[in-house]
Amino acid sequence: MSLKDKLHQLKLKYQGTKMEPLFNAFHTFLYTPNEVTKTGSHIRVVDDLKRTMNMVVLALVPILIFSMFNTGYQHYLALGQVDYATDGFFSPNFWNLNNFIVGFKTIMPLVLVSYIVGLGVEFYFAMKKGHEVEEGYLVTGMLVPLIVPVDIPLWMLAIAVIFGVVIGKEVFGGTGMNILNPALTIRAFLFFSYPTWMSGDKVWIHGLAERTDGISGETILGSLAQGKDVAYGVKEMFYGFIPGSVGETSTLLILLAGLFLIFTKIGSWRIMLSTVLGALVMGLLFNWIAPSMEGTKFYDLMSTPFWQHLLIGGFAFGTVFMATDPVTATQTTKGKWIYGFLIGLMSILIRVFNPAYPEGVMLAILLMNVFAPTIDHIIVGKNIKKRLNRLKVKTT
Amino acid sequence: MSTDIRIKKGLDIKLKGKAKHEKAVASRSKIFTIYPDDFHAIKPKLSIREGDKVLAGDSLFYNKDYQAMQFVSPVSGVIKEIKRGAKRKVLEIVIQADNQDTHKDFGVKTPSNLAEPQVKQSLLESGCWSFIKQRPYDIVANPDKSPKAIFVSGFNSNPNGTNIPFSLKGKEEAFQAGIDALSKLTEGKVHLSVNEKSFLNEVKNVVLHHVSGPHPAGNVGTQINKIDPVNKGETVYTVNALDVAIIGELFLTGKYNPVRTVAVAGSRVGKPQYFDVRIGNGMKEIVKDANFDLKDTRVISGNVFTGLNVGENGAFRHFSYSVAGIPEGNYYELFGWAKPVFGNKKYSITRALTFTWLNPKQEFDLDTNTNGEQRAFVVTGFYEKVFPLDILPLQILKSCMYEDLEEMEALGMYEVAPEDFALTEFVCISKQPHQDIIRKGLDLMIKEIG
């Protein structure tokens, strides 16, 4: 008996039991099921949710690998054991095995904890409620390690993941029903529960937290918010050779991933484009009023050239991977333009005016997640009104 | 008078085994079967018993809520069996057919000389009323509700669908008579939509519309939405063009002769071509005539989007306008969700390691595999690309699922039929049963609003 037949027998055996969702999750991972259409259209497209989610995971893989190199690079750079990578994106100072090993050892545990804990919660709820294990966490699980500081303790991550999956998603009914982006819920939980671990100068570079010898590892946003000079050039920001959350630094790779998602038609180009537009508009506005604000603590961030906002902080990552989450974004076509634009605006606004925490993207997206149904409500209302008007014209 | 309607949103899928433009008469089966369930929301009351002799045109059952509305036998013969299900619900009426039909005579009439009540009565008593559907609700029309317009589509854009002008060749006179009769039923207009040059362009007594664009441009629901959408409180009738000819024939000859010339097509059909098929005819004969390869094959009465899986032991159904044979997809596929997809066995609307976009015009050989499991609605934006009606597809589907009648009404439920959601169902990444959701939503509205 082949593996295929054996699994089929097992599937029949588990049918109707509590184990069914658990078994099916593994079985359908290995084999697309032998289900045929029962009602309605007899034929269906090949695209399914697994394939869709898989595309996002594929887009994240190069970023994850880059982040491992960057973690090691920043670590050795802070220790003074490696020179600045100044000779382009493919600099050997950056892409070397030593960097990768340190990064791999630091980041793999984050990935594993995120997946094991998150999927564990998903399986538990699937079995308890008797529904299939949905694929949403495949992407969330990959996003989470990329948006936290490298040296976050694993227990902290585990607690945050449990909170994010349970409160952010399962209480609403699971994948497809949640209001807030689960990955950002997890990050927001960490940010508000353990603020000392989530910002400041020490958390962004592996190995710095234990040292007390005054090496500073602050991010560009951190420097700007404190009115210090930025120690990095535009090229380095674009390539991503800078400290920051694990996977958010390389604008170049995130841009490529965004283009990949747009090409495969998985990511919404409307949301990505309008978010960028929103940020540029807000950036320009600040650049315009910045001269009159000279001397205030907001001056440095306000006078940052508007286009540089796209390169620093988590803006690019949030735009490509978080804002485009179809469940928590607006669902109407017009709504997507408004939603993205407002995220762009709010990101830069919060970034400039929030003194405690100079990163606005997470909060902007979460805020717009909450408002997405309202935006849709307005768009849907217009469609309804059109229909009512049609009737009114008829009757008069 | 004519207008142009250009549809931009939609999707044309070419399927293998397109029917050749040749006509033959399908072998007559010994057994004919009528399924009262085909007439959605009608409560059937039998007018025959097992063993009764019937003529073609004799009543089999009538509508309990509207007793003049008869549903009649397509052939002459003897009632062999009445199959019942739970609560004695009538599932099938099986008729042992004579070799040659004897018809009940309804009298030769010229519809243009008749008044509305006479036309209505002729249609009701002869069983031809069953071909007239109404929107809202996509059910057999209520004769008491006068329609503001009647819509006939002369364009079938379904994959491997029946070409209407070709099918109606030789029935031009009957078609005109049918249109004349229908035009008596409304104070408004009869709208006829055409896509190509044919005799349909010369039909009188109609408002002609030239429709172009991808499927569902040929669906009558799309055309209604573009021409004269249904508002709350209004009713429109829709009649399939093939049935207009059957109605016309009733008036020209006095006989109920429900024979349609339909495309029998699909990758499992050895001899894809057109056949004259009588309603209720056994599929076995059609399958044999068209030389189906029956190994792991789904025999569909209707097209691949809206037809019924009847199997080779089933019958040609009342609202079927083609026959299809496509492969069943009951197989497992190793890492089917991850591997790249080339070729014509699968169709994709994305480029997620799928390469349909390289050659979307090729002939596809699609099977019935769902290609994944049912999930909650997650991905957005794909339905809108293939849904040309001025209605929000995702939102109306959701409103049906949570049964919010007010919202369903506001979003346009009065205008839609399940078939309008066949394409969104085809492209659905979450594999949700759209047509079923809409049908249940409409049923709820019938129950609660009426």
Side-chain angles (χ1 to χ4, degrees), chain B residues 147-444:
Chain B
K148 68 165 177 173
I150 296 177
F151 290 85
V152 178
S153 173
F155 169 35
N156 184 349
S157 54
N158 280 296
N160 273 344
T162 296
N163 179 290
I164 290 169
F166 178 75
S167 166
L168 289 177
K169 224 169 245 174
K171 297 180 185 169
E172 291 87 350
E173 209 187 328
F175 187 83
Q176 181 65 60
I179 291 286
D180 293 344
L182 290 176
S183 66
K184 299 283 174 179
L185 297 178
T186 174
E187 286 177 5
K189 303 277 193 327
V190 177
H191 297 277
L192 176 66
S193 314
V194 296
N195 175 249
E196 52 189 302
K197 258 210 138 18
S198 72
F199 83 93
L200 291 175
N201 288 296
E202 315 300 328
V203 170
K204 293 179 195 76
N205 244 341
V206 295
V207 184
L208 200 67
H209 303 271
H210 294 275
V211 191
S212 58
H215 184 64
N219 276 8
V220 72
T222 311
Q223 297 160 6
I224 297 171
N225 189 263
K226 300 295 165 198
I227 296 166
D228 188 3
V230 187
N231 296 307
K232 187 183 177 179
E234 294 176 338
T235 306
V236 302
Y237 287 176
T238 67
V239 188
N240 189 287
L242 271 50
D243 296 340
V244 173
I246 298 176
I247 292 172
E249 202 180 335
L250 170 80
F251 287 96
L252 294 180
T253 64
K255 291 171 184 168
Y256 175 72
N257 190 31
V259 177
R260 301 188 181 118
T261 309
V262 297
V264 180
S267 63
R268 285 298 166 89
V269 183
K271 217 171 77 180
Q273 62 163 75
Y274 283 73
F275 285 94
D276 288 353
V277 187
R278 184 176 292 270
I279 291 173
N281 202 80
M283 273 295 168
K284 233 174 215 155
E285 282 70 22
I286 301 168
V287 160
K288 211 169 183 188
D289 289 344
N291 198 11
F292 273 52
D293 171 7
L294 279 176
K295 194 173 173 289
D296 278 333
T297 295
R298 180 172 290 194
V299 180
I300 301 166
S301 177
N303 64 58
V304 292
F305 277 156
T306 60
L308 295 160
N309 175 11
V310 295
E312 57 165 326
N313 295 321
F316 184 69
R317 307 290 281 257
H318 193 85
F319 289 110
S320 294
Y321 302 95
S322 56
V323 173
I326 58 170
E328 281 285 6
N330 48 350
Y331 52 82
Y332 290 100
E333 201 173 4
L334 187 65
F335 292 122
W337 57 276
K339 68 183 190 190
V341 176
F342 298 94
N344 68 346
K345 296 280 186 197
K346 302 274 179 196
Y347 191 93
S348 168
I349 38 156
T350 66
R351 301 190 189 117
L353 294 188
T354 52
F355 296 90
T356 303
W357 56 278
L358 290 175
N359 192 3
K361 295 255 152 89
Q362 65 180 317
E363 286 192 342
F364 287 89
D365 179 9
L366 305 180
D367 59 40
T368 64
N369 194 292
T370 53
N371 299 309
E373 296 166 293
Q374 187 176 326
R375 291 289 181 254
F377 286 112
V378 171
V379 182
T380 57
F382 286 112
Y383 307 147
E384 287 78 1
K385 282 185 198 161
V386 297
F387 193 78
L389 280 67
D390 186 18
I391 285 171
L392 299 164
L394 178 66
Q395 283 71 20
I396 204 169
L397 282 165
K398 285 188 173 175
S399 73
C400 287
M401 290 170 87
Y402 52 68
E403 301 189 341
D404 183 336
L405 284 164
E406 220 166 282
E407 199 174 314
M408 283 154 76
E409 185 182 291
L411 287 169
M413 274 303 268
Y414 291 126
E415 305 172 45
V416 299
E419 64 167 14
D420 297 327
F421 289 82
L423 255 184
T424 60
E425 181 170 65
F426 170 66
V427 304
C428 184
I429 284 173
S430 297
K431 315 290 176 190
Q432 289 275 350
H434 295 205
Q435 296 190 68
D436 200 40
I437 293 169
I438 293 292
R439 181 70 266 169
K440 284 184 179 142
L442 290 171
D443 289 348
L444 183 74

Side-chain angles (χ1 to χ4, degrees), chain A residues 78-256:
Chain A
L79 297 178
Q81 292 173 9
V82 70
D83 283 335
Y84 275 101
T86 46
D87 41 353
F89 184 66
F90 295 103
S91 166
N93 282 348
F94 184 85
W95 299 97
N96 70 49
L97 198 59
N98 287 342
N99 289 349
F100 181 75
I101 290 171
V102 170
F104 186 83
K105 277 189 194 155
T106 325
I107 290 171
M108 262 337 250
L110 297 179
V111 176
L112 289 176
V113 166
S114 160
Y115 269 119
I116 292 170
V117 175
L119 286 176
V121 177
E122 290 263 340
F123 278 113
Y124 172 76
F125 273 93
M127 283 167 72
K128 202 171 157 69
K129 295 201 174 162
H131 65 66
E132 297 289 325
V133 179
E134 306 224 355
E135 288 80 8
Y137 198 79
L138 291 181
V139 171
T140 309
M142 188 72 148
L143 288 173
V144 167
L146 294 176
I147 54 174
V148 293
V150 272
D151 271 354
I152 181 170
L154 296 178
W155 63 267
M156 218 180 258
L157 185 67
I159 290 176
V161 166
I162 293 171
F163 175 86
V165 176
V166 175
I167 303 297
K169 195 158 82 167
E170 292 300 338
V171 291
F172 294 103
T175 302
M177 314 293 178
N178 46 311
I179 294 174
L180 298 178
N181 184 316
L184 285 180
T185 310
I186 291 169
R187 195 179 198 275
F189 175 83
L190 286 170
F191 170 56
F192 289 113
S193 308
Y194 309 104
T196 49
W197 277 97
M198 292 302 287
S199 52
D201 298 348
K202 302 289 185 189
V203 301
W204 306 106
I205 295 174
H206 172 56
L208 275 201
E210 301 100 61
R211 296 169 63 98
T212 49
D213 52 4
I215 298 175
S216 164
E218 67 193 358
T219 58
I220 295 166
L221 278 176
S223 315
L224 285 171
Q226 293 174 32
K228 293 186 196 163
D229 285 336
V230 175
Y232 303 93
V234 171
K235 260 190 197 164
E236 285 168 301
M237 295 181 197
F238 183 62
Y239 295 152
F241 299 163
I242 51 175
S245 291
V246 172
E248 69 172 23
T249 60
S250 179
T251 310
L252 172 65
L253 286 182
I254 293 166
L255 179 69
L256 290 177

